[in-house]
mmCIF file of all heavy atoms in Angstrom:
data_model
loop_
_atom_site.group_PDB
_atom_site.id
_atom_site.type_symbol
_atom_site.label_atom_id
_atom_site.label_comp_id
_atom_site.label_asym_id
_atom_site.label_seq_id
_atom_site.Cartn_x
_atom_site.Cartn_y
_atom_site.Cartn_z
ATOM 1 N N VAL A 1 0.864 -1.144 0.024
ATOM 2 C CA VAL A 1 -0.008 0.054 -0.014
ATOM 3 C C VAL A 1 0.894 1.248 -0.026
ATOM 4 O O VAL A 1 1.748 1.350 0.866
ATOM 5 C CB VAL A 1 -0.936 0.018 1.240
ATOM 6 C CG1 VAL A 1 -1.768 1.264 1.189
ATOM 7 C CG2 VAL A 1 -1.802 -1.212 1.330
ATOM 8 N N ASN A 2 0.729 2.073 -0.995
ATOM 9 C CA ASN A 2 1.612 3.264 -0.995
ATOM 10 C C ASN A 2 1.073 4.370 -0.164
ATOM 11 O O ASN A 2 -0.126 4.387 0.224
ATOM 12 C CB ASN A 2 1.945 3.684 -2.407
ATOM 13 C CG ASN A 2 0.747 4.156 -3.214
ATOM 14 O OD1 ASN A 2 -0.244 4.640 -2.662
ATOM 15 N ND2 ASN A 2 0.814 4.024 -4.513
ATOM 16 N N VAL A 3 1.945 5.389 0.094
ATOM 17 C CA VAL A 3 1.564 6.472 0.938
ATOM 18 C C VAL A 3 0.435 7.317 0.314
ATOM 19 O O VAL A 3 -0.426 7.810 0.955
ATOM 20 C CB VAL A 3 2.779 7.369 1.235
ATOM 21 C CG1 VAL A 3 2.383 8.627 2.006
ATOM 22 C CG2 VAL A 3 3.848 6.563 2.018
ATOM 23 N N ALA A 4 0.485 7.415 -1.018
ATOM 24 C CA ALA A 4 -0.546 8.238 -1.717
ATOM 25 C C ALA A 4 -1.941 7.641 -1.487
ATOM 26 O O ALA A 4 -2.927 8.339 -1.196
ATOM 27 C CB ALA A 4 -0.257 8.239 -3.220
ATOM 28 N N THR A 5 -2.083 6.274 -1.464
ATOM 29 C CA THR A 5 -3.343 5.624 -1.243
ATOM 30 C C THR A 5 -3.799 5.832 0.221
ATOM 31 O O THR A 5 -4.977 6.101 0.487
ATOM 32 C CB THR A 5 -3.220 4.191 -1.504
ATOM 33 O OG1 THR A 5 -2.888 3.955 -2.903
ATOM 34 C CG2 THR A 5 -4.546 3.380 -1.206
ATOM 35 N N MET A 6 -2.851 5.778 1.116
ATOM 36 C CA MET A 6 -3.200 6.020 2.551
ATOM 37 C C MET A 6 -3.677 7.445 2.756
ATOM 38 O O MET A 6 -4.688 7.688 3.455
ATOM 39 C CB MET A 6 -1.971 5.783 3.389
ATOM 40 C CG MET A 6 -1.452 4.351 3.435
ATOM 41 S SD MET A 6 -0.013 4.174 4.445
ATOM 42 C CE MET A 6 -0.667 4.336 6.095
ATOM 43 N N ARG A 7 -3.096 8.417 2.103
ATOM 44 C CA ARG A 7 -3.497 9.826 2.203
ATOM 45 C C ARG A 7 -4.896 10.007 1.625
ATOM 46 O O ARG A 7 -5.725 10.697 2.165
ATOM 47 C CB ARG A 7 -2.501 10.785 1.550
ATOM 48 C CG ARG A 7 -1.183 10.814 2.216
ATOM 49 C CD ARG A 7 -0.340 12.000 1.774
ATOM 50 N NE ARG A 7 -0.089 12.001 0.339
ATOM 51 C CZ ARG A 7 -0.667 12.946 -0.478
ATOM 52 N NH1 ARG A 7 -1.447 13.869 0.086
ATOM 53 N NH2 ARG A 7 -0.427 12.898 -1.776
ATOM 54 N N LYS A 8 -5.150 9.396 0.489
ATOM 55 C CA LYS A 8 -6.456 9.442 -0.168
ATOM 56 C C LYS A 8 -7.553 8.933 0.824
ATOM 57 O O LYS A 8 -8.593 9.475 1.000
ATOM 58 C CB LYS A 8 -6.491 8.652 -1.479
ATOM 59 C CG LYS A 8 -7.888 8.462 -2.096
ATOM 60 C CD LYS A 8 -7.789 7.606 -3.269
ATOM 61 C CE LYS A 8 -7.615 6.124 -2.949
ATOM 62 N NZ LYS A 8 -8.892 5.492 -2.401
ATOM 63 N N ASP A 9 -7.269 7.721 1.363
ATOM 64 C CA ASP A 9 -8.228 7.100 2.244
ATOM 65 C C ASP A 9 -8.505 7.974 3.548
ATOM 66 O O ASP A 9 -9.626 8.138 4.021
ATOM 67 C CB ASP A 9 -7.834 5.701 2.626
ATOM 68 C CG ASP A 9 -7.891 4.734 1.459
ATOM 69 O OD1 ASP A 9 -8.405 5.142 0.423
ATOM 70 O OD2 ASP A 9 -7.422 3.570 1.611
ATOM 71 N N MET A 10 -7.419 8.519 4.066
ATOM 72 C CA MET A 10 -7.583 9.290 5.296
ATOM 73 C C MET A 10 -8.335 10.587 4.972
ATOM 74 O O MET A 10 -9.138 11.080 5.826
ATOM 75 C CB MET A 10 -6.177 9.595 5.882
ATOM 76 C CG MET A 10 -5.512 8.316 6.428
ATOM 77 S SD MET A 10 -3.871 8.698 7.095
ATOM 78 C CE MET A 10 -4.366 9.266 8.763
ATOM 79 N N GLN A 11 -8.097 11.189 3.811
ATOM 80 C CA GLN A 11 -8.904 12.362 3.489
ATOM 81 C C GLN A 11 -10.359 12.015 3.357
ATOM 82 O O GLN A 11 -11.276 12.790 3.721
ATOM 83 C CB GLN A 11 -8.353 13.011 2.148
ATOM 84 C CG GLN A 11 -9.007 14.364 1.858
ATOM 85 C CD GLN A 11 -8.852 15.369 2.962
ATOM 86 O OE1 GLN A 11 -7.679 15.695 3.296
ATOM 87 N NE2 GLN A 11 -9.895 15.862 3.528
ATOM 88 N N ALA A 12 -10.651 10.882 2.796
ATOM 89 C CA ALA A 12 -12.028 10.353 2.682
ATOM 90 C C ALA A 12 -12.662 10.213 4.029
ATOM 91 O O ALA A 12 -13.806 10.482 4.278
ATOM 92 C CB ALA A 12 -12.088 9.047 1.880
ATOM 93 N N MET A 13 -11.842 9.677 5.028
ATOM 94 C CA MET A 13 -12.356 9.578 6.421
ATOM 95 C C MET A 13 -12.698 10.902 6.961
ATOM 96 O O MET A 13 -13.850 11.093 7.569
ATOM 97 C CB MET A 13 -11.274 8.875 7.224
ATOM 98 C CG MET A 13 -10.965 7.473 6.797
ATOM 99 S SD MET A 13 -9.456 6.893 7.707
ATOM 100 C CE MET A 13 -9.056 5.414 6.729
ATOM 101 N N LEU A 14 -11.821 11.937 6.788
ATOM 102 C CA LEU A 14 -12.130 13.237 7.319
ATOM 103 C C LEU A 14 -13.302 13.862 6.594
ATOM 104 O O LEU A 14 -14.138 14.544 7.282
ATOM 105 C CB LEU A 14 -10.886 14.103 7.120
ATOM 106 C CG LEU A 14 -9.672 13.670 7.991
ATOM 107 C CD1 LEU A 14 -8.436 14.551 7.581
ATOM 108 C CD2 LEU A 14 -9.951 13.865 9.428
ATOM 109 N N ASP A 15 -13.432 13.655 5.261
ATOM 110 C CA ASP A 15 -14.587 14.200 4.537
ATOM 111 C C ASP A 15 -15.909 13.607 5.087
ATOM 112 O O ASP A 15 -16.833 14.299 5.281
ATOM 113 C CB ASP A 15 -14.478 13.866 3.069
ATOM 114 C CG ASP A 15 -13.312 14.687 2.412
ATOM 115 O OD1 ASP A 15 -12.871 15.668 2.976
ATOM 116 O OD2 ASP A 15 -12.933 14.331 1.285
ATOM 117 N N GLN A 16 -15.879 12.288 5.346
ATOM 118 C CA GLN A 16 -17.073 11.649 5.822
ATOM 119 C C GLN A 16 -17.386 12.088 7.256
ATOM 120 O O GLN A 16 -18.614 12.306 7.617
ATOM 121 C CB GLN A 16 -16.944 10.154 5.812
ATOM 122 C CG GLN A 16 -18.144 9.356 6.261
ATOM 123 C CD GLN A 16 -19.321 9.633 5.321
ATOM 124 O OE1 GLN A 16 -19.252 10.202 4.259
ATOM 125 N NE2 GLN A 16 -20.500 9.105 5.750
ATOM 126 N N GLY A 17 -16.347 12.271 8.052
ATOM 127 C CA GLY A 17 -16.526 12.817 9.400
ATOM 128 C C GLY A 17 -17.168 14.163 9.337
ATOM 129 O O GLY A 17 -18.156 14.528 10.112
ATOM 130 N N HIS A 18 -16.702 15.063 8.449
ATOM 131 C CA HIS A 18 -17.265 16.393 8.318
ATOM 132 C C HIS A 18 -18.670 16.328 7.906
ATOM 133 O O HIS A 18 -19.522 17.018 8.388
ATOM 134 C CB HIS A 18 -16.388 17.193 7.340
ATOM 135 C CG HIS A 18 -16.880 18.572 7.049
ATOM 136 N ND1 HIS A 18 -16.717 19.598 7.995
ATOM 137 C CD2 HIS A 18 -17.569 19.092 6.064
ATOM 138 C CE1 HIS A 18 -17.335 20.699 7.501
ATOM 139 N NE2 HIS A 18 -17.785 20.428 6.301
ATOM 140 N N ALA A 19 -18.940 15.431 6.930
ATOM 141 C CA ALA A 19 -20.390 15.331 6.430
ATOM 142 C C ALA A 19 -21.349 14.869 7.436
ATOM 143 O O ALA A 19 -22.532 15.156 7.394
ATOM 144 C CB ALA A 19 -20.363 14.346 5.232
ATOM 145 N N THR A 20 -20.879 14.115 8.426
ATOM 146 C CA THR A 20 -21.745 13.569 9.497
ATOM 147 C C THR A 20 -21.522 14.236 10.809
ATOM 148 O O THR A 20 -22.028 13.776 11.849
ATOM 149 C CB THR A 20 -21.563 12.027 9.653
ATOM 150 O OG1 THR A 20 -20.117 11.782 9.904
ATOM 151 C CG2 THR A 20 -21.917 11.294 8.356
ATOM 152 N N HIS A 21 -20.760 15.373 10.810
ATOM 153 C CA HIS A 21 -20.573 16.196 11.994
ATOM 154 C C HIS A 21 -19.815 15.442 13.115
ATOM 155 O O HIS A 21 -20.209 15.512 14.294
ATOM 156 C CB HIS A 21 -21.904 16.767 12.476
ATOM 157 C CG HIS A 21 -22.669 17.479 11.453
ATOM 158 N ND1 HIS A 21 -22.340 18.665 10.889
ATOM 159 C CD2 HIS A 21 -23.849 17.116 10.758
ATOM 160 C CE1 HIS A 21 -23.221 19.036 10.002
ATOM 161 N NE2 HIS A 21 -24.111 18.127 9.901
ATOM 162 N N LYS A 22 -18.863 14.617 12.692
ATOM 163 C CA LYS A 22 -17.993 13.897 13.672
ATOM 164 C C LYS A 22 -16.547 14.388 13.626
ATOM 165 O O LYS A 22 -16.068 14.716 12.554
ATOM 166 C CB LYS A 22 -18.054 12.403 13.347
ATOM 167 C CG LYS A 22 -19.423 11.759 13.264
ATOM 168 C CD LYS A 22 -20.139 11.821 14.582
ATOM 169 C CE LYS A 22 -21.430 11.129 14.478
ATOM 170 N NZ LYS A 22 -22.254 11.200 15.762
ATOM 171 N N SER A 23 -15.918 14.516 14.759
ATOM 172 C CA SER A 23 -14.568 15.019 14.891
ATOM 173 C C SER A 23 -13.639 13.797 14.863
ATOM 174 O O SER A 23 -13.815 12.831 15.642
ATOM 175 C CB SER A 23 -14.414 15.834 16.200
ATOM 176 O OG SER A 23 -13.043 16.225 16.359
ATOM 177 N N LEU A 24 -12.608 13.903 14.084
ATOM 178 C CA LEU A 24 -11.596 12.796 13.884
ATOM 179 C C LEU A 24 -10.211 13.500 14.148
ATOM 180 O O LEU A 24 -9.389 13.516 13.233
ATOM 181 C CB LEU A 24 -11.677 12.130 12.589
ATOM 182 C CG LEU A 24 -13.009 11.588 12.165
ATOM 183 C CD1 LEU A 24 -12.973 10.999 10.774
ATOM 184 C CD2 LEU A 24 -13.546 10.545 13.164
ATOM 185 N N PRO A 25 -9.882 13.970 15.329
ATOM 186 C CA PRO A 25 -8.649 14.721 15.492
ATOM 187 C C PRO A 25 -7.391 13.887 15.286
ATOM 188 O O PRO A 25 -6.418 14.465 14.664
ATOM 189 C CB PRO A 25 -8.744 15.227 16.948
ATOM 190 C CG PRO A 25 -9.750 14.284 17.646
ATOM 191 C CD PRO A 25 -10.721 13.911 16.540
ATOM 192 N N LEU A 26 -7.323 12.672 15.739
ATOM 193 C CA LEU A 26 -6.190 11.875 15.530
ATOM 194 C C LEU A 26 -5.933 11.582 14.057
ATOM 195 O O LEU A 26 -4.777 11.552 13.624
ATOM 196 C CB LEU A 26 -6.317 10.521 16.280
ATOM 197 C CG LEU A 26 -6.284 10.579 17.862
ATOM 198 C CD1 LEU A 26 -6.390 9.311 18.453
ATOM 199 C CD2 LEU A 26 -4.983 11.317 18.313
ATOM 200 N N THR A 27 -6.974 11.286 13.310
ATOM 201 C CA THR A 27 -6.836 11.028 11.882
ATOM 202 C C THR A 27 -6.282 12.286 11.213
ATOM 203 O O THR A 27 -5.377 12.177 10.320
ATOM 204 C CB THR A 27 -8.196 10.689 11.294
ATOM 205 O OG1 THR A 27 -8.764 9.631 11.982
ATOM 206 C CG2 THR A 27 -8.051 10.335 9.829
ATOM 207 N N ALA A 28 -6.787 13.485 11.577
ATOM 208 C CA ALA A 28 -6.313 14.746 11.003
ATOM 209 C C ALA A 28 -4.788 14.987 11.298
ATOM 210 O O ALA A 28 -4.049 15.345 10.395
ATOM 211 C CB ALA A 28 -7.099 15.922 11.506
ATOM 212 N N LEU A 29 -4.403 14.671 12.483
ATOM 213 C CA LEU A 29 -3.026 14.842 12.852
ATOM 214 C C LEU A 29 -2.104 13.860 12.110
ATOM 215 O O LEU A 29 -1.012 14.224 11.690
ATOM 216 C CB LEU A 29 -2.797 14.716 14.419
ATOM 217 C CG LEU A 29 -3.408 15.877 15.189
ATOM 218 C CD1 LEU A 29 -3.397 15.498 16.697
ATOM 219 C CD2 LEU A 29 -2.577 17.138 14.947
ATOM 220 N N ALA A 30 -2.568 12.619 12.026
ATOM 221 C CA ALA A 30 -1.763 11.588 11.298
ATOM 222 C C ALA A 30 -1.609 11.962 9.840
ATOM 223 O O ALA A 30 -0.526 11.837 9.216
ATOM 224 C CB ALA A 30 -2.354 10.207 11.441
ATOM 225 N N LEU A 31 -2.696 12.433 9.253
ATOM 226 C CA LEU A 31 -2.698 12.820 7.824
ATOM 227 C C LEU A 31 -1.667 13.992 7.637
ATOM 228 O O LEU A 31 -0.943 13.989 6.612
ATOM 229 C CB LEU A 31 -4.050 13.267 7.361
ATOM 230 C CG LEU A 31 -4.106 13.697 5.899
ATOM 231 C CD1 LEU A 31 -3.624 12.654 4.958
ATOM 232 C CD2 LEU A 31 -5.547 14.063 5.553
ATOM 233 N N GLN A 32 -1.585 14.906 8.538
ATOM 234 C CA GLN A 32 -0.573 15.963 8.415
ATOM 235 C C GLN A 32 0.833 15.448 8.360
ATOM 236 O O GLN A 32 1.648 15.857 7.467
ATOM 237 C CB GLN A 32 -0.705 16.918 9.647
ATOM 238 C CG GLN A 32 -1.913 17.843 9.627
ATOM 239 C CD GLN A 32 -1.953 18.674 10.923
ATOM 240 O OE1 GLN A 32 -0.939 18.788 11.588
ATOM 241 N NE2 GLN A 32 -3.082 19.252 11.185
ATOM 242 N N GLN A 33 1.141 14.413 9.102
ATOM 243 C CA GLN A 33 2.478 13.770 9.066
ATOM 244 C C GLN A 33 2.666 13.091 7.720
ATOM 245 O O GLN A 33 3.785 13.155 7.150
ATOM 246 C CB GLN A 33 2.667 12.859 10.238
ATOM 247 C CG GLN A 33 2.523 13.517 11.610
ATOM 248 C CD GLN A 33 3.424 14.710 11.771
ATOM 249 O OE1 GLN A 33 4.596 14.747 11.267
ATOM 250 N NE2 GLN A 33 2.931 15.726 12.446
ATOM 251 N N PHE A 34 1.602 12.353 7.273
ATOM 252 C CA PHE A 34 1.827 11.655 6.045
ATOM 253 C C PHE A 34 1.961 12.568 4.815
ATOM 254 O O PHE A 34 2.649 12.294 3.924
ATOM 255 C CB PHE A 34 0.628 10.680 5.841
ATOM 256 C CG PHE A 34 0.508 9.569 6.841
ATOM 257 C CD1 PHE A 34 -0.593 8.770 6.857
ATOM 258 C CD2 PHE A 34 1.462 9.362 7.703
ATOM 259 C CE1 PHE A 34 -0.738 7.761 7.787
ATOM 260 C CE2 PHE A 34 1.368 8.320 8.700
ATOM 261 C CZ PHE A 34 0.241 7.557 8.703
ATOM 262 N N GLU A 35 1.282 13.706 4.957
ATOM 263 C CA GLU A 35 1.496 14.660 3.898
ATOM 264 C C GLU A 35 2.918 15.319 3.877
ATOM 265 O O GLU A 35 3.480 15.545 2.819
ATOM 266 C CB GLU A 35 0.430 15.896 4.055
ATOM 267 C CG GLU A 35 -0.965 15.341 3.660
ATOM 268 C CD GLU A 35 -2.049 16.411 3.905
ATOM 269 O OE1 GLU A 35 -1.792 17.407 4.703
ATOM 270 O OE2 GLU A 35 -3.079 16.265 3.299
ATOM 271 N N SER A 36 3.483 15.449 5.066
ATOM 272 C CA SER A 36 4.876 15.896 5.144
ATOM 273 C C SER A 36 5.787 14.867 4.510
ATOM 274 O O SER A 36 6.727 15.190 3.799
ATOM 275 C CB SER A 36 5.263 16.167 6.593
ATOM 276 O OG SER A 36 4.544 17.237 7.108
ATOM 277 N N ALA A 37 5.532 13.627 4.820
ATOM 278 C CA ALA A 37 6.266 12.487 4.199
ATOM 279 C C ALA A 37 6.173 12.546 2.672
ATOM 280 O O ALA A 37 7.137 12.282 1.986
ATOM 281 C CB ALA A 37 5.858 11.178 4.783
ATOM 282 N N ALA A 38 4.959 12.675 2.218
ATOM 283 C CA ALA A 38 4.699 12.719 0.743
ATOM 284 C C ALA A 38 5.540 13.854 0.096
ATOM 285 O O ALA A 38 6.157 13.749 -0.966
ATOM 286 C CB ALA A 38 3.210 12.934 0.457
ATOM 287 N N GLN A 39 5.609 15.054 0.774
ATOM 288 C CA GLN A 39 6.319 16.127 0.248
ATOM 289 C C GLN A 39 7.840 15.836 0.246
ATOM 290 O O GLN A 39 8.637 16.478 -0.496
ATOM 291 C CB GLN A 39 6.119 17.406 1.065
ATOM 292 C CG GLN A 39 4.669 17.989 0.939
ATOM 293 C CD GLN A 39 4.356 19.023 1.988
ATOM 294 O OE1 GLN A 39 5.208 19.430 2.688
ATOM 295 N NE2 GLN A 39 3.029 19.394 2.022
#
């Protein structure tokens, strides 16, 4: 599983959380680190 796929899936998780008014703070923080790795 590549990092790009992981970032895509985590963004989808955050999008769904936003759509259903749920907070996913750990997911958001982890995605920030993965985006730094991608850069």
Side-chain angles (χ1 to χ4, degrees):
V1 179
N2 63 29
V3 174
T5 298
M6 294 178 71
R7 293 195 304 111
K8 171 186 74 74
D9 290 355
M10 294 179 81
Q11 187 58 59
M13 295 167 194
L14 292 173
D15 291 345
Q16 183 64 11
H18 179 75
T20 56
H21 308 290
K22 304 296 184 184
S23 176
L24 307 177
L26 291 179
T27 306
L29 289 170
L31 178 56
Q32 288 178 13
Q33 300 305 324
F34 294 173
E35 287 176 340
S36 295
Q39 292 169 8

